[in-house]
Amino acid sequence: QVQLVESGGGLVQAGGSLRLSCAASGFTFTNYGMGWFRQPPGKEREFVAAINWSSGSTRYADSVKGRVTISRDNTKNTVYLQMNSLKPEDTAVYYCAANTYRQTIVVVPNRYIYWGQGTQVTVSS
């Protein structure tokens, strides 16, 4: 049974930091690229960051570049999203997802086949 379980969300003041984690199970983690997406209130789901299987390639949305770092630990089947200098506009439900493009970075959500349930991040001003 495939599972992606996010954790680490919460309420933080503007300028603060959070680290999101996503624990994967039920599939061979190293065969998958991973990504983080978010859905702000009343808006469409949007790309945040992605990483390939070996951590050799990463990509970030312009809106988070320089403030966010995606990483993965293949020994723990876990992907992380370190978020610094948080802004109120970062408020959203954050989702991790897996795609089968092992080497290629994928930014479109419809190329991801497994999704977590999401974790809420709220940034107060």
Side-chain angles (χ1 to χ4, degrees), residues 22-62:
C22 173
S25 61
F27 62 98
T28 303
F29 190 62
T30 51
N31 284 347
Y32 290 77
M34 299 297 296
W36 286 94
F37 292 79
R38 67 186 183 186
Q39 188 163 15
K43 296 185 179 180
E44 297 288 315
R45 191 170 298 190
E46 61 186 29
F47 169 74
V48 176
I51 189 168
N52 74 339
W53 78 276
S54 66
S55 305
S57 295
T58 58
R59 187 171 296 177
Y60 299 92
D62 288 343

Side-chain angles (χ1 to χ4, degrees), residues 9 26-27 50 56-57 59-61 68 72 76 82 100 104 111 113:
F27 62 98
S57 295
R59 187 171 296 177
Y60 299 92
V68 164
R72 64 189 291 167
K76 296 181 179 179
Q82 176 68 46
T100 58
T104 303
R111 297 296 180 93
I113 60 171

